[in-house]
Amino acid sequence: MANKSLVPEAKDALNKFKMEAASDVGVTLKSGYNGDLTAKQAGSIGGQMVKKLIENAENAMKNGR
């Protein structure tokens, strides 16, 4: 399967979300290639993104959405 977004309009929102998560954990991302990140840094960004997604889902369930 090709690396193609099902919803191309979501790309900017996902990039913004990733930048916010990186900022939350103290990792500076550059626009474009970030292959110089350590596995620990990349993992902390992904972990923060998952944490925020879970919090949003829990809040949506509490609010009946």
Side-chain angles (χ1 to χ4, degrees):
M1 180 174 190
N3 188 9
K4 186 176 179 182
S5 296
L6 294 176
V7 183
E9 299 82 19
K11 188 173 185 174
D12 289 336
L14 286 171
N15 281 332
K16 181 180 177 194
F17 181 50
K18 179 171 53 175
M19 294 297 243
E20 289 173 3
S23 177
D24 288 348
V25 294
V27 176
T28 304
L29 288 180
K30 301 178 294 265
S31 181
Y33 180 73
N34 284 284
D36 56 336
L37 292 179
T38 66
K40 182 177 181 179
Q41 290 171 316
S44 66
I45 294 168
Q48 182 68 11
M49 291 174 74
V50 170
K51 180 180 174 185
K52 286 181 171 239
L53 288 170
I54 291 170
E55 286 173 359
N56 288 341
E58 288 175 342
N59 288 333
M61 287 190 293
K62 286 178 189 174
N63 296 326
R65 287 191 257 161

